[in-house]
């Protein structure tokens, strides 16, 4: 069982920055893939960024060059640094961990970008 708690969301103007954090209840050093997803109202949940245990990252095209995912295994925390935010980045952001084929999710944190 892995519990994930996101924090760091809020309201920001376009062009601003936010850093999201995802704190896990257990060690993440053995978890291969940690990821951030987002879901806007009326839309499906989409992958934003993923980081492997070895630090390999991949991003959705829409956030490349603006968002950076990182992980601190010592703190059992995954981060999402979001720069140059746009109104279309407005969504609930969810942390995800896949462990032995099972998806664990946090409760989500709201990010709202005003124009």
């Amino acid at each position: 069982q892995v519990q994930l708690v996101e924090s760091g969301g809020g309201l920001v103007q376009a062009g601003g920055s936010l850093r999201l954090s995802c704190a896990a209840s257990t060690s993440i050093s053995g978890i291969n893939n940690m990821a951030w997803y987002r879901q806007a109202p009326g839309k499906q949940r989409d992958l934003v960024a993923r980081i492997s245990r070895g630090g390999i990252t991949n991003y959705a095209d829409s956030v490349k060059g603006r968002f950076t995912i990182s992980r601190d295994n010592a703190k059992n925390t995954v981060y999402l640094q979001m720069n140059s935010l746009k109104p279309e980045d407005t969504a609930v952001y969810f942390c995800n961990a896949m462990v032995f084929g099972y998806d664990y999710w946090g409760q989500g944190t709201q990010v709202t970008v005003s124009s």
Side-chain angles (χ1 to χ4, degrees):
Q1 189 89 7
V2 179
Q3 293 181 328
L4 304 170
V5 179
E6 301 98 334
S7 61
L11 173 64
V12 65
Q13 288 188 331
S17 299
L18 284 173
R19 188 176 83 152
L20 305 183
S21 298
C22 169
S25 60
T26 62
S27 172
I28 67 170
S29 60
I31 299 176
N32 190 25
N33 286 317
M34 300 288 300
W36 287 94
Y37 286 72
R38 67 186 181 188
Q39 187 168 20
K43 295 190 177 181
Q44 66 182 21
R45 189 173 296 187
D46 292 325
L47 176 69
V48 175
R50 178 184 289 121
I51 185 168
S52 73
R53 186 169 52 188
I56 297 172
T57 58
N58 61 284
Y59 297 90
D61 287 343
S62 59
V63 307
K64 281 181 181 176
R66 300 188 298 122
F67 291 10
T68 303
I69 189 171
S70 61
R71 61 193 290 170
D72 186 335
N73 290 340
K75 296 183 177 179
N76 298 325
T77 302
V78 178
Y79 303 98
L80 185 68
Q81 177 67 44
M82 305 186 295
N83 298 328
S84 302
L85 282 161
K86 304 175 181 180
E88 51 263 43
D89 294 318
T90 295
V92 178
Y93 284 69
F94 297 90
C95 183
N96 170 269
M98 179 173 284
V99 182
F100 298 117
Y102 187 84
D103 274 318
Y104 290 91
W105 297 94
Q107 83 288 350
T109 185
Q110 176 70 47
V111 171
T112 302
V113 185
S114 63
S115 57

